Amino acid sequence: MKHFSGIITSWYQQNKRDLPWRNTNDPYMIWLSEIILQQTRVDQGMSYYIKFAESFPSVNDLAKADEEKVMKLWQGLGYYSRARNLHAAAKTVKAEYKGKFPSAYETILSLKGIGEYTAAAIASFAFNKPHAVVDGNVYRVLSRVFGIETPIDSTNGKKEFLQLANELLNKKEPALHNQAIMEFGALQCKPQNPDCSVCPLNMHCYAFAKKQVNELPVKSKKTKVRDRFFNYIVLTNKESTIINKRTDKDIWTNLYDFPLIETPMGVAEPDLIVSSEWKKLVGKNKYVLRAVSPEYKHVLSHQKIYARFWEIECAKDLSNFKPDAAIIIKKKDLQKYAVPRLIENYLERKIS
Ligand code: SF4
């Protein structure tokens, strides 16, 4: 289609949102916004972007930061490996590129946690280089307008869409073009029931003409979701509690939670206290089971977690209970530690 770029850029100029990362061509700020916004809504991501930009105004500031501080600022966003990769990549930029963000697409792509989409976004938005971005919004727009039924999560699909996106790219104004197509997907060609009657592309749109708007784009795989059952043992005495730094290769690496007994399904107290994990944790120490929380359901991209918090009041000395790799802290200091959203929800509900 001859006028594709012209149509979407003129739509963009009239309809774009004023977002802070659009008013900069600093590659570091663009990178921050892109990593924060992956699978996060703009309204939710905005406060995180502002917090990060204020706490770490440059890539060197981020590189020098304590990992604990980075994780604490990221708390609540999920996908914690992104924060760790962000931090690691900042250290690489500082060490290998003297703190100057690289401008070549291939070099940007080589940084930890940066994939093709993010590398194209940084190269085009910050350096106006002709690399087309292909994110979920772009897949949707292209599959609908051009009637492409190749699954977007297949190797062939990825190649086909990337090639088409690069053919359509306005090489003279790649930043504007890329911003425009992404915003067009986010606001106009929305996933559900877009208002095609007001769309400037409706005369050229395959899906609109064939009434296939809700069938496109096509995905081949359904994500398999695993159910997990977490029993958090909240051991406390008057002043203190025990937390655990997660070090395994599992979800939430390097975040803090309570000692955990994972079971194949939800369990009642008689079954939990005969388990070997319980015996290891509690041993022969005296305790009182004060309460068991209602079940918290926490949904991640590949896992559904059903969690209960077993609140246990212990004798004076918690060190007898201390499981491996856990630390005893003052209850009032809990808020200083970066915890997963599930734990945050539990603590909020407990306090309120
Ligand atoms: S006509 Fe509808 S489906 Fe086609 S591009 Fe416009 S909003 Fe999307």
Side-chain angles (χ1 to χ4, degrees):
M1 190 198 309
K2 222 172 136 198
H3 305 298
F4 180 86
S5 189
I7 294 172
I8 55 156
T9 48
S10 80
W11 174 92
Y12 176 70
Q13 273 147 348
Q14 289 164 33
N15 295 285
K16 68 177 173 186
R17 291 165 292 182
D18 183 21
L19 301 172
W21 46 86
R22 294 235 173 99
N23 305 325
T24 177
N25 53 9
D26 177 345
Y28 166 65
M29 291 298 169
I30 290 164
W31 172 48
L32 259 187
S33 71
E34 290 300 332
I35 301 293
I36 288 172
L37 288 175
Q38 280 166 24
Q39 290 169 41
T40 308
R41 291 191 321 271
V42 165
D43 52 348
Q44 193 200 359
M46 180 83 82
S47 63
Y48 284 88
Y49 171 78
I50 293 168
K51 271 194 297 186
F52 265 81
E54 280 173 3
S55 303
F56 313 120
S58 74
V59 69
N60 286 321
D61 294 320
L62 177 59
K64 282 187 281 182
D66 237 25
E67 178 172 280
E68 299 276 322
K69 188 172 176 197
V70 176
M71 300 309 279
K72 185 68 195 165
L73 274 189
W74 194 268
Q75 181 173 305
L77 255 185
Y79 302 97
Y80 293 90
S81 58
R82 284 198 222 140
R84 283 189 291 276
N85 288 341
L86 191 73
H87 195 203
K91 287 181 181 170
T92 306
V93 172
K94 182 171 182 285
E96 290 181 23
Y97 305 105
K98 299 188 180 138
K100 195 166 178 290
F101 210 95
S103 62
Y105 172 84
E106 296 299 336
T107 319
I108 300 172
L109 187 62
S110 71
L111 294 171
K112 211 167 179 190
I114 297 191
E116 286 177 357
Y117 161 76
T118 310
I122 298 169
S124 64
F125 301 161
F127 303 108
N128 220 18
K129 298 212 166 164
H131 293 275
V133 292
V134 185
D135 71 344
N137 290 316
V138 177
Y139 278 122
R140 189 166 56 254
V141 173
L142 297 184
S143 71
R144 286 175 174 172
V145 174
F146 295 91
I148 305 171
E149 292 179 8
T150 319
I152 59 173
D153 52 351
S154 64
T155 313
N156 283 346
K158 284 184 182 140
K159 257 194 219 154
E160 190 176 344
F161 281 96
L162 182 62
Q163 194 183 338
L164 175 60
N166 274 310
E167 281 164 24
L168 294 166
L169 182 70
N170 176 350
K171 311 276 186 309
K172 288 191 186 128
E173 294 195 274
L176 178 64
H177 173 104
N178 280 337
Q179 296 278 17
I181 188 167
M182 288 167 66
E183 190 78 335
F184 186 81
L187 300 183
Q188 169 58 42
C189 193
K190 294 190 284 196
Q192 309 296 333
N193 307 318
D195 186 356
C196 298
S197 66
V198 299
C199 176
L201 280 172
N202 60 13
M203 299 281 286
H204 313 276
C205 179
Y206 175 94
F208 180 57
K210 305 276 180 194
K211 297 197 170 33
Q212 285 192 16
V213 174
N214 290 328
E215 275 82 71
L216 290 169
V218 174
K219 257 192 167 182
S220 58
K221 294 177 216 136
K222 272 213 152 159
T223 315
K224 265 204 177 157
V225 178
R226 176 160 71 113
D227 288 336
R228 298 179 74 178
F229 298 87
F230 283 9
N231 299 281
Y232 276 119
I233 313 301
V234 186
L235 293 157
T236 54
N237 64 15
K238 213 168 168 200
E239 300 181 319
S240 308
T241 188
I242 296 182
I243 57 170
N244 175 50
K245 186 165 183 175
R246 296 180 62 89
T247 50
D248 290 347
K249 276 205 166 151
D250 192 354
I251 52 172
W252 305 330
T253 310
N254 292 351
L255 297 191
Y256 292 84
D257 61 2
F258 296 108
L260 171 64
I261 299 178
E262 185 170 358
T263 47
M265 55 187 70
V267 287
E269 188 193 351
D271 295 322
L272 190 67
I273 63 176
V274 294
S275 70
S276 56
E277 290 97 332
W278 177 275
K279 284 180 187 155
K280 193 171 160 212
L281 182 63
V282 178
K284 290 196 168 43
N285 292 296
K286 287 216 167 78
Y287 70 88
V288 178
L289 178 59
R290 287 272 177 237
V292 183
S293 76
E295 188 172 78
Y296 286 70
K297 191 165 138 194
H298 190 73
V299 181
L300 301 170
S301 56
H302 295 86
Q303 304 184 17
K304 227 182 254 172
I305 292 166
Y306 300 88
R308 279 193 200 284
F309 294 81
W310 301 71
E311 296 173 4
I312 288 182
E313 179 83 34
C314 309
K316 275 185 207 152
D317 190 4
L318 282 182
S319 59
N320 293 334
F321 289 86
K322 198 177 151 191
D324 308 340
I327 47 174
I328 299 172
I329 60 159
K330 298 267 179 256
K331 284 192 234 175
K332 63 177 171 47
D333 290 339
L334 250 176
Q335 54 171 20
K336 293 183 187 158
Y337 293 83
V339 297
R341 170 80 90 181
L342 170 63
I343 303 290
E344 205 184 347
N345 288 345
Y346 162 72
L347 293 172
E348 273 169 14
R349 201 182 298 178
K350 230 178 118 54
I351 291 162
S352 58

